[in-house]
């Protein structure tokens, strides 16, 4: 009988008791003795020279403790924020990599760029002090968009007059151009992948603390990867060795990528706490979050797909401009390159693919990885052009996809864009999805809508993603300045309960439950007797954190390897207790037995023996039962599936209602179906948000127009339907749990499905004018009315 | 500074506050009731929802002094010791939360709905949650949880 | 927020006296706009006079001809008042569409009208139903009350006590909300009243206004089709990232038809 709390069970989450009772501990819930508060003075201009900062008035504000500017930090030897990934342009030159001082020096480069920090006894006094700072600015011409960046004239950095960060390509341009020229059929689209603001509900927060007795620095921060922050901030920015720097990320209230990166505020509060010998706390307002949390997406792309007359894909050419914002955020350069262009084969056998990507500096908030990071952009390009091809050739969009799918027996499959897909069954998820949405009944539903004065459309998105980043050697060769393995340590206590220390870090994914289930399954202890420790560099030896749907595929694999070691040692102890050879010992459901005998010993007894080693194989083993493992993946994992969206448009207003949304996903093996479904729901909501509601808008002067929930349209409960989700299991063949990752699928798949549905509905009344995300009511109405 | 008194989760409390002290800051900073969260500064996200004299309000958009003499219930006041309130239990049972940050506000808003509507439909719940933002769940399981929780509250 | 001195008013007269004696005093009703504005440091009053304790300002009374709503009556109270639902269902429905449940529990009709946000709902009701705004000094006809963006006929320190809504023969309010803020991009109150047809539009212009061409068209034939030939000029209408003036003008027509249809 399978355990009711093991792999495959929808175990209710261990973390929920504290969250539903308000007993979670988020960073802003923490206060340190003697704590001060920091407020940042931020540039009101997108681009300005800082002519001088007079701090006297701020110093005079009651309660102000200290004021620091960029010059103060520079004088103290504080370095700039590092970028973790170096891209090389097609000519072999490394990308332009301008410095990124935590507090601006000389120039401010986007609205919200931190210029100075005021530290005070209260939050109110800090804000008053920041407002009292007299900062002399000379406004400069702003480069507020990709178009402006490409135009001659203003430059974000004087020494990068072109505003170009890199000009990168993948594939043989001439070969693909020739294939396209020779092809009987081609379709082309120009697409904008709209800039998004991540909007984790918990605003960022950071508390710096310094122990004058030990010289140890502590940073409490809202981070998806505290060890990465320790490495970046300690080694590169502040020069603090690891053993004197502890980074704690307690409960984290959502991240979606935005809490991967090392932000200026973390370094400033850590440095300032040591400087003033008191803890320094900063918590972002939502308004600050809109201005300064790294944004996502922001691509402009032209794509051409060449086909034969039967719709067999022959070649794909993708030319993309990507907005980097004003500085290079931690992983920004890899997002529009290796996390994007390598996915352009999608689920298809397209033999020739070329991608050319230019990245541009602009006077806007830095752009970096946001849920999906590159893969939603790739899926959007591929799935929009495939749908367009189906319309062009007048072939059913499901049928066109089937004609071009990589077949299930073709794995491992080497794509023309570097990746080797490990396993998949794309026709399987397409079939699941078309059945779930009753694709055959669509025409009747469309007719019924028409009779009611509405326009109905349907759209597919057969997506693929590369998750579980990544083989360190591979990413290293591509420019990553870090390894991307994971670590885990299983500590079995004397009474048989277990603590698992993992370098992954939940920001809502339920790791405390999922990892406990894996342990329960393997060791036969109940999930109640397993605790997961994460988010603290002083407790977990090392880790790379949670992003890219990697926690189970990489962190879970590290756990699995550590469990192998625990089991191996425990078997030896059990063998000793049962006076048998360990080769004859079997372990199942928490009990060690010897084949062919009635001898048995429970896991708890073995644990006790490990710590009370009266009768113990001392010659062979050390006492204790704790094992650690690192896991460096052999390949990425390749979750894939098919999402289908059906929309209904009110032509009088342009309002779009999601009439139906189905998802059929293949995540490999699933540990907790309830949690996986929740991840898919949330991803879809963000994808639907991108398609229909969310768009970050900067004015030409670089002012953020969508700076609050008054103007940035975050999906609410009544914007969304219930989602019909289902899964198919094609296990990952190269990691021990056979898992692939599920966190980003919805956000990757949904935008193309929704926009294919919207454009399908518009075509039903002859409107073929392009429409970009977000397809807001006003845009839809304008498209319908030729405006 | 002025003195403010109120009943919070059944307990009489008194504190000294400034005119500008928000109720949420009084709860979080003075009373150390950190279950009530702040997720925005434009009164839209609902993470700070508490009950004041039985009505759900945004504690970020109310001065502490406006609550003088009132009975305030926060998320910490819902459970009976370690026995969860039916709405809390429903959120746990139906996976109506992921990161947990919006959850206290969601639950306080949901119990207010249930007090008025014992058997809300999916549409009722989606409409009612207009003032509570969640970025993790896509609301799917929150809606399920609120419907189940409202029914459980009648039991 | 900047520091200020908080006062709890005991009565309307007390509130008037307190606000008059302050350097830069401001009245606070529900605070649903004032407090967010102050939190954003966009307002810096020296004194805030809270009307929340003035019991005489809250409450609903209904006669055969009139629904009177005290200035401090919350949106939730109006939305859920059996008497209002009976007498002017459009008014209850409008109140139920403001903000969200938590906002409706604090926000008040007096605060909404005194603030006169161009995208607020209640101005549409005051104008569309031909209401009268009764202050501590005088009665102001709804037609004269809204004078521009955030501008009203109120004099400094003048306090709204109640709003008297004549009960219409029929009325309905339909709104097209801003997708992000949920405030009205266009809200239309259409009513057949004893003194004729009224069509008031909120959200679309600097402040609520009457659409007289529609009123004329509906006077002889109170049905959606009567509006078929009526076009609305985009001149002077608001424009932002959510809706152009042309789109708003179009939506006025759509919402007006829907409002008339909803009148039954």
């Amino acid at each position: 009988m399978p355990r009711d709390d093991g792999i495959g069970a929808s175990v209710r989450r261990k973390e929920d008791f504290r969250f539903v009772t308000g007993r979670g501990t988020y960073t802003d819930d923490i206060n340190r003795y003697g704590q001060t508060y920091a407020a940042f003075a931020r540039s009101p201009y997108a681009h300005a020279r800082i002519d001088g900062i007079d701090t006297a008035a701020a110093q005079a504000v009651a309660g102000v403790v200290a004021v620091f500017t960029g010059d103060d930090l520079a004088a103290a030897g504080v370095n700039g924020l590092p970028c973790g990934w170096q891209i090389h342009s097609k000519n072999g030159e490394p990308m332009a990599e301008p410095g990124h001082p935590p507090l601006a020096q000389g120039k401010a480069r986007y609205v919200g760029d931190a210029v100075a920090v005021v530290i005070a006894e209260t939050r109110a006094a800090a804000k008053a002090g920041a407002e009292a700072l007299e900062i002399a600015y000379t406004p400069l011409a702003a480069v507020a968009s990709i178009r402006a960046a490409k135009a001659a004239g203003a430059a974000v950095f004087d020494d990068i007059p072109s505003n170009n960060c890199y000009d990168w390509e993948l594939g043989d341009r001439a070969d693909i151009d020739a294939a396209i020229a020779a092809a009987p059929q081609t379709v082309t689209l120009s697409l904008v992948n709209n800039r998004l603001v991540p909007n984790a509900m918990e605003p960022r927060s950071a508390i710096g603390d310094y122990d004058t007795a030990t010289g140890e620095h502590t940073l409490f921060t809202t981070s998806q990867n505290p060890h990465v922050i320790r490495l970046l901030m300690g080694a590169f920015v502040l020069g603090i060795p690891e053993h004197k720097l502890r980074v704690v990320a307690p409960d984290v209230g959502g991240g979606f990528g935005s809490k991967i990166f090392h932000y200026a505020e973390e370094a400033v509060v850590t440095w300032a706490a040591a400087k003033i010998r008191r803890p320094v706390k900063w918590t972002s307002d939502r308004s600050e979050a809109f201005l300064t949390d790294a944004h996502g997406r922001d691509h402009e792309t032209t794509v051409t797909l060449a086909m034969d007359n039967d719709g067999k894909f022959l070649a794909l050419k993708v030319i993309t401009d990507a907005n980097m914002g004003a500085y290079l955020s931690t992983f920004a350069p890899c997002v529009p390159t290796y996390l994007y262009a390598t996915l352009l084969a999608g689920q298809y056998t397209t033999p020739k693919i070329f991608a050319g990507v230019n990245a541009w500096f602009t006077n806007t908030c830095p752009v970096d990885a946001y849920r999906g990071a590159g893969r939603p952009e790739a899926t959007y390009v591929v799935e929009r052009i495939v749908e367009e091809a189906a319309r062009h050739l007048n072939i059913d969009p499901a049928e066109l996809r089937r004609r071009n799918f990589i077949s299930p027996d073709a794995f491992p499959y080497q794509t023309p864009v570097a990746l080797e897909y490990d396993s998949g069954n794309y026709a399987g998820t397409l079939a699941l999805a078309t059945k779930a949405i009753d694709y055959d009944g669509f025409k009747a539903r469309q007719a019924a809508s028409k009779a009611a004065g509405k326009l109905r459309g349907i759209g597919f998105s057969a997506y693929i993603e590369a998750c579980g980043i990544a083989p360190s050697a591979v990413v290293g060769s591509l420019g990553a300045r870090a390894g991307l393995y994971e670590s885990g340590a299983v500590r079995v206590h004397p009474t048989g309960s277990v603590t698992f220390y993992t370098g992954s870090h939940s920001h809502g994914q339920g790791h405390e439950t999922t990892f406990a289930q894996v342990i329960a399954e393997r060791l036969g202890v109940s999930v109640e007797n397993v605790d997961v420790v994460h988010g603290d560099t002083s407790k977990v030896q090392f880790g790379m954190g949670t992003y890219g749907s990697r926690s189970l595929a990489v962190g879970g694999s590290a756990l699995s390897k550590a469990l192998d070691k625990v089991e191996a040692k425990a078997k030896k102890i059990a063998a000793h207790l049962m006076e048998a050879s360990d080769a004859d010992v079997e372990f199942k459901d928490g009990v060690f037995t010897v084949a062919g005998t009635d001898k048995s010993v429970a896991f708890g007894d073995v644990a006790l023996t490990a710590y009370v080693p009266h009768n113990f194989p001392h010659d062979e083993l050390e006492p204790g039962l704790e094992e650690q493992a690192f896991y460096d993946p052999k390949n990425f994992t390749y979750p894939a599936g098919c999402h289908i969206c059906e929309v209904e448009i009110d032509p009088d207003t342009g309002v779009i209602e999601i009439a139906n949304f189905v998802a059929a996903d293949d995540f490999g093996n699933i540990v907790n179906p309830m949690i996986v479904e929740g991840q898919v729901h949330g991803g879809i909501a963000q994808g639907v948000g991108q398609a229909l509601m969310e768009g970050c808008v900067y004015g030409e002067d670089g002012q953020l127009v969508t700076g609050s929930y008054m103007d940035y349209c975050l999906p609410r409960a009544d914007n969304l339907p219930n989602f019909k989700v289902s899964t198919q299991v094609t296990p990952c063949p190269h990691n021990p749990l056979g898992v692939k990752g599920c966190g980003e699928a919805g956000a990757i798949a949904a935008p193309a499905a929704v926009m294919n549905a919207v454009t399908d509905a518009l075509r039903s009344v002859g409107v073929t004018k392009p429409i970009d995300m977000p397809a807001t009511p006003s845009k839809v109405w304008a498209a319908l009315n030729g405006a | 500074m002025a003195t403010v008194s109120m009943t919070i989760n059944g307990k009489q409390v008194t504190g000294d506050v400034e005119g500008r002290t928000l109720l949420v800051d009084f709860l979080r900073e003075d009373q150390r009731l950190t279950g009530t969260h702040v997720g925005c500064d434009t009164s839209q996200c609902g993470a700070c929802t508490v009950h004041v004299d039985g009505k759900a309000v945004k504690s970020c958009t109310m001065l502490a002094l406006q609550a003088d003499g009132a009975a305030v219930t926060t998320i910490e006041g819902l459970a009976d010791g370690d026995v969860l309130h039916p709405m809390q239990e429903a959120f746990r049972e139906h996976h109506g939360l992921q990161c947990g940050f919006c959850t206290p506000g969601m639950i306080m808003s949901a119990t207010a709905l249930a007090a008025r509507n014992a058997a809300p439909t999916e549409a009722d719940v989606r409409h009612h949650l207009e003032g509570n933002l969640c970025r993790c769940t896509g609301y799917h399981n929150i809606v399920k949880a609120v419907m189940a929780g409202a029914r459980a509250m009648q039991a | 927020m900047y520091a200020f001195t908080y006062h709890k008013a005991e009565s309307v007269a007390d509130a008037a006296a307190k606000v008059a004696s302050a350097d830069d005093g401001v009245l606070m009703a529900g605070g649903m706009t004032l407090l967010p504005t102050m939190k954003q440091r966009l307002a810096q009053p020296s004194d805030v006079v809270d009307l929340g304790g003035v019991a005489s300002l809250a409450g609903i009374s209904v006669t055969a001809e009139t629904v009177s709503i005290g200035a401090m009556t919350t949106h939730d109270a109006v939305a859920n008042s059996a008497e209002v639902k009976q007498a002017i269902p459009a008014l209850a429905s409008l109140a139920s569409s403001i903000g969200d449940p938590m906002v409706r529990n604090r926000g008040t009709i007096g605060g909404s009208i005194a603030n006169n946000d161009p995208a607020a709902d209640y101005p549409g009701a005051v104008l569309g139903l031909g209401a009268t705004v009764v202050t501590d000094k005088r009665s102001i006809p709804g037609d004269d009350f809204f004078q521009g963006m955030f501008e009203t006929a109120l004099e400094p320190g003048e306090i709204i006590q109640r709003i008297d809504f004549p009960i219409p023969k029929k009325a309905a309010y339909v709104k097209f909300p801003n997708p992000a803020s949920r405030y009205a991009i266009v809200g239309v109150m259409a009513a057949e009243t004893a003194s004729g047809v009224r069509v008031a539009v909120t959200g679309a212009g600097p402040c609520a206004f009457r659409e007289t061409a529609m009123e004329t068209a509906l006077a002889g034939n109170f049905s959606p089709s009567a509006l078929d030939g009526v076009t609305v000029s985009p001149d002077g209408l608001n424009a932002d990232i959510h809706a152009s003036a042309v789109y708003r003008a179009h939506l006025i027509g759509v919402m007006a038809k829907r409002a008339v249809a909803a009148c039954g």
Side-chain angles (χ1 to χ4, degrees):
Chain A
M1 248 215 11
R3 296 183 62 87
D4 62 5
D5 61 356
I7 290 174
S10 286
V11 176
R12 300 306 183 256
R13 299 199 321 172
K14 286 168 64 73
E15 40 275 88
D16 285 357
F17 182 83
R18 70 175 188 272
F19 290 142
V20 300
T21 54
R23 298 181 209 174
T25 301
Y26 301 88
T27 301
D28 188 55
D29 297 340
I30 295 170
N31 289 311
R32 305 293 288 174
Y33 181 74
Q35 176 176 293
T36 62
Y37 296 84
F40 288 83
R42 299 188 180 279
S43 173
Y45 301 103
H47 194 191
R49 195 173 65 236
I50 302 165
D51 296 318
I53 302 176
D54 185 342
T55 64
Q59 302 269 14
V61 169
V64 167
V65 173
V67 181
F68 300 110
T69 66
D71 287 346
D72 295 328
L73 266 59
V78 174
N79 294 313
L81 306 177
C83 179
W85 203 299
Q86 185 181 50
I87 296 296
H88 284 77
S89 287
K90 63 188 181 190
N91 64 5
E93 296 280 321
M95 67 186 187
E97 193 172 356
H100 185 184
L103 295 176
Q105 289 168 14
K107 272 186 178 182
R109 290 190 173 83
Y110 65 100
V111 175
D113 203 355
V115 174
V117 64
V118 176
I119 295 163
E121 299 291 347
T122 65
R123 206 168 285 192
K127 285 200 172 182
E131 206 167 80
L133 280 172
E134 289 170 20
I135 306 171
Y137 292 103
T138 300
L140 303 170
V143 179
S145 63
I146 290 172
R147 185 167 46 81
K150 292 164 82 170
V156 179
F157 295 93
D158 293 337
D159 54 350
I160 312 173
S162 68
N163 292 314
N164 189 261
C165 176
Y166 53 74
D167 178 358
W168 176 90
E169 62 182 39
L170 183 64
D172 184 335
R173 182 192 287 258
D175 183 39
I176 275 73
D177 279 342
I180 289 171
Q185 302 285 346
T186 62
V187 283
T188 296
L189 274 179
S190 290
L191 299 166
V192 173
N193 205 290
N194 42 326
R195 178 186 276 240
L196 302 174
V197 183
N199 273 302
M201 290 316 300
E202 179 205 21
R204 288 191 292 121
S205 181
I207 307 168
D209 202 349
Y210 179 69
D211 186 329
T212 56
T214 63
E216 189 186 70
H217 304 256
T218 302
L219 169 67
F220 298 87
T221 185
T222 46
S223 177
Q224 300 173 214
N225 32 241
H227 291 87
V228 173
I229 302 304
R230 184 180 66 169
L231 179 68
L232 293 173
M233 186 176 80
F236 293 92
V237 184
L238 298 180
I240 304 170
E242 282 95 335
H243 70 292
K244 291 295 185 190
L245 175 57
R246 175 185 176 199
V247 178
V248 183
D251 287 328
V252 179
F256 317 110
S258 70
K259 293 173 183 168
I260 298 171
F261 324 119
H262 178 38
Y263 287 94
E265 295 88 354
E266 295 171 320
V268 171
V269 298
T270 305
W271 175 81
K275 178 87 178 165
I276 70 166
R277 297 292 200 258
R278 288 177 67 183
V280 179
K281 179 179 191 173
W282 168 79
T283 298
S284 175
D285 294 333
R286 180 60 57 187
S287 298
E288 271 183 300
F290 271 102
L291 290 171
T292 67
D293 289 2
H295 293 174
R297 318 285 193 254
D298 206 345
H299 285 193
E300 295 176 7
T301 293
T302 300
V303 51
T304 299
L305 177 63
M307 300 158 287
D308 69 17
N309 288 322
D310 295 326
K312 193 75 185 163
F313 302 160
L314 302 175
L316 182 76
K317 181 179 180 184
V318 175
I319 303 297
T320 293
D321 290 307
N323 193 340
M324 293 282 104
Y327 302 99
L328 292 179
S329 176
T330 310
F331 289 114
C334 74
V335 176
T337 50
Y338 292 109
L339 296 182
Y340 167 69
T342 55
L343 275 301
L344 289 169
Q347 300 184 349
Y348 310 109
T349 55
T350 317
K352 293 173 187 287
I353 298 174
F354 172 79
V357 179
N358 275 278
W360 303 95
F361 292 109
T362 60
N363 291 116
T364 62
C365 179
V367 178
D368 206 327
Y370 164 65
R371 201 170 194 167
R375 292 150 295 165
E377 295 92 322
T379 292
Y380 190 64
V381 166
V382 172
E383 289 303 290
R384 285 294 309 273
I385 197 68
V386 167
E387 199 89 3
E388 190 70 15
R391 291 165 187 172
H392 172 75
L393 298 173
N394 201 24
I395 297 175
D396 179 276
E399 170 57 23
L400 182 67
R401 286 177 170 85
R402 278 191 292 266
R403 284 184 199 175
N404 287 282
F405 279 154
I406 298 161
S407 80
D409 57 11
F411 294 93
Y413 180 84
Q414 178 63 50
T415 74
V417 275
L419 298 178
E420 185 186 84
Y421 295 170
D422 56 1
S423 68
N425 177 0
Y426 309 136
T429 43
L430 178 79
L432 265 179
T434 49
K435 183 156 183 283
I437 204 158
D438 180 22
Y439 185 51
D440 295 341
F442 172 71
K443 288 291 173 200
R445 294 193 295 278
Q446 190 177 40
S449 293
K450 190 178 176 190
K454 302 283 180 67
L455 318 176
R456 188 174 278 252
I458 195 164
F460 289 74
S461 179
Y463 74 96
I464 192 160
E465 47 176 329
C467 291
I469 189 166
S472 293
V474 173
V475 295
S477 73
L478 302 179
R481 289 162 166 162
L484 283 166
Y485 47 80
E486 195 49 271
S487 86
V490 174
R491 178 175 301 171
V492 181
H493 301 289
T495 58
S497 65
V498 176
T499 304
F500 174 52
Y501 299 83
T502 174
S504 301
H505 188 27
S506 175
H507 45 291
Q509 294 88 342
H511 293 175
E512 292 167 45
T513 307
T514 300
F515 288 140
Q517 286 179 250
V518 174
I519 293 166
E521 180 79 30
R522 282 289 297 275
L523 300 183
V525 295
S526 71
V527 294
E528 285 74 32
N529 287 326
V530 180
D531 264 5
V532 173
V533 171
H534 49 190
D536 186 341
T537 61
S538 74
K539 294 180 179 168
V540 179
Q541 189 226 341
F542 205 74
M544 294 309 296
T546 288
Y547 41 82
S549 305
R550 71 193 301 273
S551 295
L552 194 58
V554 189
S557 297
L559 166 60
S560 192
K561 282 185 64 179
L563 287 168
D564 289 344
K565 296 184 188 177
V566 167
E567 189 178 321
K569 182 170 179 182
K571 257 187 186 165
K572 288 184 179 163
I573 298 170
H576 177 82
L577 291 175
M578 295 187 286
E579 297 174 333
S581 158
D582 54 291
D584 295 332
V585 174
E586 291 175 357
F587 181 51
K588 195 167 177 251
D589 299 334
V591 180
F592 295 91
T593 52
V594 179
T597 74
D598 61 356
K599 289 180 180 174
S600 74
V601 55
F603 180 74
D605 294 330
V606 170
L608 189 65
T609 301
Y611 290 95
V612 187
H614 296 165
N615 178 18
F616 192 83
H618 285 288
D619 293 345
E620 194 186 344
L621 296 173
E622 297 168 15
L625 192 53
E626 171 167 359
E627 298 290 346
Q628 180 174 20
F630 276 64
Y631 177 79
D632 200 312
K634 297 180 186 69
N635 189 356
F636 295 89
T637 63
Y638 297 93
C642 181
H643 291 205
I644 308 177
C645 178
E646 205 168 307
V647 299
E648 193 175 66
I649 298 176
D650 175 353
D652 290 339
T653 59
V655 168
I656 297 172
E657 188 195 336
I658 306 263
N660 206 347
F661 196 106
V662 304
D665 297 297
D666 193 334
F667 300 132
N669 291 331
I670 288 173
V671 173
N672 186 318
M674 176 190 81
I675 288 176
V676 167
E677 284 186 12
Q679 290 295 308
V680 176
H681 297 156
I684 293 170
Q686 286 179 12
V688 169
Q690 170 166 30
L692 299 183
M693 286 165 259
E694 300 178 42
C696 176
V697 177
Y698 278 96
E700 283 183 18
D701 56 359
Q703 292 293 329
L704 180 62
V705 178
T706 50
S708 80
Y709 295 134
M710 295 296 282
D711 286 303
Y712 189 88
C713 187
L714 208 70
R716 304 195 198 197
D718 58 3
N719 291 124
L720 298 167
N722 277 320
F723 311 113
K724 294 194 189 87
V725 304
S726 58
T727 51
Q728 160 189 287
V729 176
T730 311
C732 172
H734 59 75
N735 66 40
L737 295 170
V739 297
K740 296 183 175 181
C742 65
E744 297 163 294
I748 291 169
V754 175
M755 291 305 291
N756 284 336
V758 169
T759 50
D760 184 49
L762 293 176
R763 288 172 68 93
S764 74
V765 287
V767 174
T768 54
K769 187 176 162 28
I771 181 167
D772 279 315
M773 301 187 289
T776 58
S778 74
K779 271 196 217 166
V780 172
W781 180 80
L784 280 166
N785 290 276
Chain B
M1 296 291 257
T3 300
V4 67
S5 297
M6 64 187 83
T7 306
I8 301 177
N9 301 329
K11 189 175 130 208
Q12 182 70 29
V13 305
T14 298
D16 290 325
V17 296
E18 288 188 272
R20 62 179 162 177
T21 303
L22 296 167
L23 177 58
V24 68
D25 292 331
F26 183 67
L27 294 170
R28 287 180 56 80
E29 306 295 336
D30 291 68
Q31 300 298 314
R32 301 299 302 142
L33 292 168
T34 55
T36 302
H37 297 148
V38 178
C40 78
D41 46 17
T42 52
S43 307
Q44 277 154 322
C45 80
C48 65
T49 302
V50 300
H51 294 181
V52 174
D53 291 333
K55 288 183 182 296
V57 304
K58 293 181 175 172
S59 62
C60 78
T61 315
M62 185 167 175
L63 303 173
L65 286 167
Q66 286 179 285
D68 191 39
V72 176
T73 306
T74 70
I75 189 69
E76 289 92 344
L78 275 195
D80 178 10
D82 281 348
V83 179
L84 296 178
H85 181 281
M87 192 61 78
Q88 293 172 315
E89 184 59 44
F91 270 71
R92 198 187 71 83
E93 176 63 24
H94 294 277
H95 190 29
L97 64 150
Q98 289 179 24
C99 82
F101 192 80
C102 76
T103 309
M106 282 285 174
I107 290 175
M108 297 310 287
S109 179
T111 55
L113 169 68
R116 193 174 263 177
N117 184 347
T121 63
E122 183 196 330
D124 292 339
V125 173
R126 288 187 184 277
H127 177 63
H128 178 85
L129 294 180
E130 195 170 3
N132 292 90
L133 295 175
C134 169
R135 191 58 156 166
C136 292
T137 64
Y139 302 100
H140 183 112
N141 286 341
I142 290 179
V143 173
K144 276 204 312 204
V146 174
M147 291 172 70
R151 282 159 178 78
M153 280 169 64
Q154 311 309 311
Chain C
M1 242 188 289
Y2 297 104
F4 60 84
T5 305
Y6 171 88
H7 309 269
K8 193 151 201 154
E10 305 291 335
S11 65
V12 173
D14 181 42
K18 281 181 165 139
V19 83
S21 67
D23 282 345
D24 182 17
V26 61
L27 294 165
M28 178 165 69
M32 292 297 99
T33 301
L34 179 64
L35 290 174
T37 306
M38 289 169 62
K39 282 164 67 178
Q40 298 279 320
R41 300 170 91 83
L42 299 173
Q44 191 174 7
S46 64
D47 296 75
V48 171
V49 181
D50 180 7
L51 294 167
V54 184
S56 66
L57 286 177
I60 296 167
S61 66
V62 178
T63 67
E65 292 82 32
T66 309
V67 171
S68 292
I69 300 181
M72 287 298 290
T73 310
T74 63
H75 309 322
D76 184 72
V78 175
N80 291 290
S81 159
E83 289 177 294
V84 177
K85 282 185 185 169
Q86 172 73 28
I88 316 180
L91 190 58
S93 154
L94 177 148
S96 76
S97 78
I98 300 172
D100 57 57
M102 286 77 84
V103 168
R104 292 194 287 277
N105 280 334
R106 297 289 303 165
T108 67
I109 187 169
S112 168
I113 285 167
N115 185 51
N116 192 21
D117 188 305
D121 296 289
Y122 264 132
V126 170
L127 208 53
L129 297 172
T132 300
V133 180
V134 180
T135 75
D136 56 344
K137 299 199 170 102
R138 58 190 166 138
S139 289
I140 308 172
D143 283 339
D144 301 337
F145 188 82
F146 305 105
Q147 301 196 332
M149 194 175 285
F150 297 107
E151 282 179 29
T152 68
L154 291 172
E155 289 164 5
E158 188 172 5
I159 298 173
I160 299 173
Q161 292 193 298
R162 65 171 199 273
I163 295 96
D164 291 340
F165 292 92
I167 296 172
K169 290 179 201 161
K170 46 187 171 182
Y173 178 74
V174 176
K175 122 164 112 172
F176 188 88
N178 179 313
S181 70
R182 303 293 179 98
Y183 276 80
I185 277 182
V186 168
V188 175
M189 176 69 85
E192 215 178 344
T193 75
S195 57
V197 172
R198 298 177 76 95
V199 177
V201 179
T202 190
C207 69
F209 61 90
R210 287 173 66 182
E211 194 59 63
T212 49
M214 288 185 172
E215 293 178 353
T216 307
L218 290 167
N221 172 19
F222 195 80
S223 70
S225 60
L227 296 174
D228 278 345
V230 183
T231 55
V232 178
S233 166
D235 292 348
L237 297 186
N238 301 334
D240 53 35
I241 58 165
H242 304 287
S244 64
V246 170
Y247 181 50
R248 275 189 165 84
H250 165 76
L251 287 173
I252 290 171
V254 176
M255 295 301 119
K257 279 189 185 179
R258 290 182 182 179
V260 171
C263 284

